Amino acid sequence: MKKTDPPMVVTQTFQVSSVALWKAITEVKQMKQWFFENIKAFEPEVGFSTKFVVENEGKLFPHLWEITQVIPLKKIAYNWKYEGFAGDSFMTFEISEQEKGSILKLTHTVTQDFPSNIPEFTRESCMAGWDYFIRQRLKDYLNSLKG
């Protein structure tokens, strides 16, 4: 992922209220169900930071997040980087209400290049990850709440 790349954007419609969607992306208990099960803490408050480690094929990736913007039920943004690795980025989740549900728009903007020799840091890997988390895991999780 390079800062010269355009931001990665994933937009998905969900058949739930904006309140339910907001809770799914900001309450740690719910985030563990669809996002990263090892998130230790998360508070939708500007300045809140958290660290948790994700392992992939024997490699450890210490995630560092810091909340930079919160508009309750509408938008949350945070700085996302990895301890011990070059690279820096910002994530924004924006929620909009529609007649029969809500829309989530995720935007991932790279502000400092990530290492190009690590497969997990390629743009293709990142986009595949966002498609998986938003279009599959979050969608399945929210659908399970309705049943």
Side-chain angles (χ1 to χ4, degrees):
M1 298 180 295
K2 304 290 181 199
K3 66 181 180 181
T4 53
D5 293 337
M8 291 166 271
V9 178
V10 175
T11 303
Q12 180 67 46
T13 301
F14 298 97
Q15 302 305 311
V16 298
S17 70
S18 58
V19 172
L21 182 53
W22 177 257
K23 288 180 178 181
I25 66 170
T26 62
E27 291 183 358
V28 72
K29 183 177 176 185
Q30 293 194 51
M31 293 169 75
K32 288 180 178 193
Q33 299 299 310
W34 68 271
F35 206 9
F36 293 107
E37 63 186 31
N38 48 353
I39 294 174
K40 294 186 183 350
F42 190 88
E43 296 292 334
E45 299 171 2
V46 172
F48 175 83
S49 62
T50 190
K51 174 184 172 182
F52 59 96
V53 178
V54 174
E55 181 180 344
N56 185 51
E57 298 180 0
K59 293 182 267 184
L60 300 179
F61 296 94
H63 289 55
L64 302 174
W65 292 354
E66 182 175 349
I67 307 298
T68 58
Q69 183 180 20
V70 178
I71 302 170
L73 303 176
K74 299 277 185 203
K75 182 178 184 180
I76 187 164
Y78 42 98
N79 178 246
W80 182 324
K81 53 189 164 191
Y82 300 88
E83 186 176 71
F85 295 94
D88 201 357
S89 63
F90 286 86
M91 293 298 312
T92 304
F93 293 87
E94 295 175 272
I95 298 173
S96 55
E97 194 81 37
Q98 66 172 23
E99 188 175 325
K100 293 185 178 182
S102 49
I103 299 170
L104 178 67
K105 179 182 177 186
L106 174 143
T107 305
H108 187 169
T109 305
V110 175
T111 57
Q112 180 187 354
D113 292 355
F114 287 84
S116 57
N117 62 336
I118 298 175
E120 290 85 352
F121 292 148
T122 65
R123 182 178 175 84
E124 295 75 23
S125 176
C126 190
M127 279 304 299
W130 287 126
D131 282 341
Y132 170 72
F133 280 121
I134 303 301
R135 295 198 168 115
Q136 184 178 335
R137 297 275 300 175
L138 181 56
K139 188 173 186 177
D140 290 350
Y141 172 70
L142 290 170
N143 285 340
S144 76
L145 298 179
K146 296 189 301 184

